Amino acid sequence: MTDLASLKDQGPPQPRVYAGMNWIGVRTLYLREVRRFWKVGAQTVAAPVVTTLLYMMVFVVALQGARPPLHGTPFAAFVAPGLIMMAILNNAFANASSSLIQAKIMGTATDFLTPPLSPLELAIGFSLGAATRGLVVGLVTAVCVLPFARLGVANGAALVYFAVIASLLMGLIGVVAGLWSEKFDHLAAVQNFVVMPMTFLSGAFYLVENLPEPFATISHFNPMFYLIDGFRYGFIGQAEGSLAVGVALSLGLTVVMAGVCWILFRTGWRLKS
């Protein structure tokens, strides 16, 4: 039997120390985030797909023949990639932000604060979970819109890159929004006044070059424009903006947002107080 006196001399038990990355903890947090949205798949996966199909019905079926091709691309094939990317962006953002705001309101933040997870590991776990939901919804949406739009693959590398980087970026933005929000009204404000306008005004349904000035120029400062434009390029092989700028901007913003999330988790801003 263990000598109780010897245990007393050792002092209180110390947290487990990991050499390098705590991959077990990151994997557990990631699986927690994935299972959280998968349990309510009708709300988190099916509902966004239905919404996208309704957009396709309005913009493509109801206006069939009324919209000319855009740069030689049928209107349905032009709109479909934008709708798929919008589903990716919105759902990646919603997964991370809703998870954190629910944990704060319900008092379950200790579930991921108590284990030996570093700020970097927390940022990785939440962002990867959000990216997974965004990519799953995007994949299901792409399959469902095929009957309405004949989509090919012109550049697979661009398709994969912009889908992955967009889901990661919006997952990280969702982490920041979830930490900042103190109630669901704050989160809804970010969704309605920041995320939604930026996605709708990013050229998902139209050519940005057709906008009057200064709106055409302003649209080129919208990062969502480059995400949707690059993703569309992967399908149709045509880009309205610069792909190099889109790659550099999206990668730079993702790195910056990852750093912001790391700082917020390290300080425990609006999470530990």
Side-chain angles (χ1 to χ4, degrees):
M1 296 181 65
T2 304
D3 189 354
L4 296 180
S6 62
L7 291 177
K8 185 176 180 180
D9 294 337
Q10 294 176 3
Q14 299 298 314
R16 183 177 177 181
V17 177
Y18 288 85
M21 187 74 70
N22 178 6
W23 293 113
I24 297 176
V26 173
R27 177 178 178 273
T28 303
L29 178 59
Y30 167 75
L31 292 177
R32 170 186 178 271
E33 290 298 293
V34 172
R35 289 168 180 167
R36 191 185 69 86
F37 80 78
W38 198 253
K39 284 183 178 180
V40 287
Q43 174 187 347
T44 57
V45 178
V49 174
V50 172
T51 301
T52 302
L53 292 178
L54 290 175
Y55 278 121
M56 289 294 295
M57 291 288 291
V58 171
F59 286 101
V60 178
V61 178
L63 299 176
Q64 187 174 10
R67 299 298 301 269
L70 301 175
H71 289 176
T73 303
F75 185 68
F78 179 87
V79 171
L83 290 173
I84 296 171
M85 178 55 78
M86 285 180 60
I88 294 175
L89 295 171
N90 290 327
N91 283 275
F93 173 85
N95 195 79
S97 58
S98 63
S99 177
L100 285 167
I101 190 64
Q102 287 177 5
K104 290 165 64 176
I105 292 177
M106 299 175 64
T108 59
T110 53
D111 291 347
F112 55 83
L113 290 178
T114 303
L117 288 169
S118 69
L120 177 61
E121 292 159 357
L122 289 173
I124 292 175
F126 280 108
S127 61
L128 288 182
T132 300
R133 175 175 167 183
L135 292 173
V136 168
V137 173
L139 179 62
V140 176
T141 301
V143 172
C144 292
V145 301
L146 285 178
F148 301 93
R150 296 180 179 179
L151 296 175
V153 177
N155 191 308
L159 199 65
V160 173
Y161 171 80
F162 282 101
V164 172
I165 203 71
S167 58
L168 282 174
L169 176 59
M170 290 307 295
L172 292 167
I173 294 175
V175 169
V176 175
L179 293 175
W180 172 79
S181 302
E182 295 181 341
K183 52 185 178 180
F184 283 103
D185 290 345
H186 294 162
L187 198 58
V190 176
Q191 180 78 37
N192 295 329
F193 296 108
V194 179
V195 177
M196 186 176 294
M198 290 183 69
T199 53
F200 270 84
L201 301 177
S202 58
F205 311 111
Y206 55 84
L207 289 171
V208 169
E209 66 183 26
N210 292 337
L211 292 175
E213 291 294 348
F215 301 105
T217 301
I218 293 174
S219 295
H220 284 80
F221 291 92
N222 181 0
M224 305 298 183
F225 162 72
Y226 293 100
L227 294 174
I228 291 178
D229 190 49
F231 187 69
R232 182 184 288 124
Y233 170 81
F235 282 108
I236 68 176
Q238 295 180 4
E240 191 176 0
S242 171
L243 289 176
V245 172
V247 170
L249 180 62
S250 59
L251 182 60
L253 285 176
T254 302
V255 173
V256 169
M257 293 307 304
V260 171
C261 291
W262 176 79
I263 293 173
L264 295 181
F265 277 125
R266 186 182 182 186
T267 59
W269 182 66
R270 293 196 173 182
L271 190 60
K272 297 180 180 179
S273 57

